[in-house]
Amino acid sequence: MVNHFRDRGHKDIRAFVPRFRRGDSDKNCPTKDPEILDKLEQEGFLTYTPSRFVDNKLILPYDDRFILKTALHYDAVIISNDNYRDLWRENPDYKKLVEKKY
């Protein structure tokens, strides 16, 4: 996705990935090529959303909020299969953002 938009000349691109996808030395890395994620993060195209393991159980925050807050802040377009309807009632600006920019 990032390469597609870079090839089209876009410069302000941000992908969101839960941190556990990167893997670490204690867990099996669920990403085949974590170096790609590292490079995208170093280049400023990728943001990891928080995740952690507690008693071997994966704890994930609701990533959609990170995406919508960032899109609002930067007046950005969202590319996603998600329609974010569950967050429309939480913040009227989210509904406007999704209706106009999705």
Side-chain angles (χ1 to χ4, degrees):
M1 186 269 316
V2 171
N3 287 337
H4 170 78
F5 286 101
R6 276 202 301 203
D7 292 347
R8 295 183 57 153
H10 296 275
K11 300 198 183 318
D12 296 327
I13 304 163
R14 184 63 49 123
F16 291 85
V17 176
R19 183 61 152 169
F20 84 93
R21 295 271 182 215
R22 170 58 182 87
D24 59 36
S25 59
D26 299 317
K27 307 278 182 230
N28 289 330
C29 183
T31 301
K32 188 174 184 178
D33 294 313
E35 300 80 20
I36 293 171
L37 297 179
D38 291 342
K39 184 174 186 228
L40 289 171
E41 181 185 31
Q42 290 167 358
E43 293 173 346
F45 295 117
L46 183 136
T47 297
Y48 286 111
T49 58
S51 64
R52 65 184 191 271
F53 284 90
V54 176
D55 295 327
N56 285 331
K57 183 178 177 187
L58 178 62
I59 308 295
L60 294 170
Y62 197 41
D63 292 6
D64 291 357
R65 282 191 189 90
F66 288 96
I67 294 166
L68 292 175
K69 283 177 104 174
T70 302
L72 278 175
H73 179 78
Y74 291 102
D75 193 29
V77 175
I78 300 169
I79 308 297
S80 174
N81 291 331
D82 195 324
N83 60 28
Y84 303 101
R85 286 193 184 120
D86 53 326
L87 293 174
W88 285 11
R89 287 192 262 301
E90 184 175 303
N91 183 336
D93 290 333
Y94 292 166
K95 183 176 180 178
K96 290 177 196 172
L97 175 72
V98 172
E99 286 177 337
K100 287 183 181 179
K101 306 270 180 153
Y102 198 83

